[in-house]
Amino acid sequence: MKRILALLLVLLAGFYVGWPAWSGYRLHQALEARDEAAVERGIDFASVRRHLEPVVTAEVGQAFDAQIADLGPAGGLLAPILRQQVLPKVAAASLDTLLQPGNVVKLYAERNNLKAAAERLVMDELGKPGGVLASLGSLGGLGGLIGGGGGGTEAAPLTTGSVQLPGG
């Protein structure tokens, strides 16, 4: 009886270690083969998004704060509005961009410079016509302060584009 119980414990421990190792190996093979469908099957993107959301929001917030500080007093006036309305959209768009099977494969291919590749992917996606940056100009209460329109004087570029100050 003790041998059966010991064998059962060894099998359970082997399963506990072996299953994740096998899943990791299959995911690695899918990334090496650039197989987007297998990558999608191997990653729970919703779970990854939940775990990365606070980190990405903090990173975008730090970049936002640095850019707003460069605007001086005008940045201090705009910061609360921009932080409340723009920051969550940029963070969500960044996660949506990065957490796609095709982009995960691209990031894996450029793993030697992961941060630069991730920033490039996000900025390319955010800058597309009809993307997040295009919708930022229509935020209520900002009156065209964000984006490329308005004929104002352009201030320091934000992580998500540029801030336009009215009447320049």
Side-chain angles (χ1 to χ4, degrees), residues 23 26-27 30 35-45 101:
S23 296
R26 287 183 26 216
L27 181 58
D35 184 354
E36 293 178 23
V39 168
E40 188 169 16
R41 286 190 307 269
I43 297 175
D44 180 5
F45 285 102

Side-chain angles (χ1 to χ4, degrees), residues 75-154:
L77 295 173
L78 293 174
I81 295 170
L82 293 175
R83 180 172 279 288
Q84 179 184 11
Q85 295 184 1
V86 175
L87 190 64
K89 286 189 176 195
V90 172
S94 298
L95 281 171
D96 291 344
T97 298
L98 291 174
L99 296 179
Q100 296 177 14
N103 287 339
V104 170
V105 168
K106 288 177 189 175
L107 289 172
Y108 179 79
E110 297 186 42
R111 61 190 169 268
N112 293 334
N113 197 356
L114 187 60
K115 183 175 181 179
E119 288 173 354
R120 186 175 55 254
L121 276 172
V122 169
M123 292 310 294
D124 288 349
E125 185 65 28
L126 291 177
K128 284 183 181 177
V132 172
L133 289 181
S135 69
L136 293 180
S138 65
L139 288 173
L142 290 181
L145 293 176
I146 303 168
T153 304
E154 189 170 323

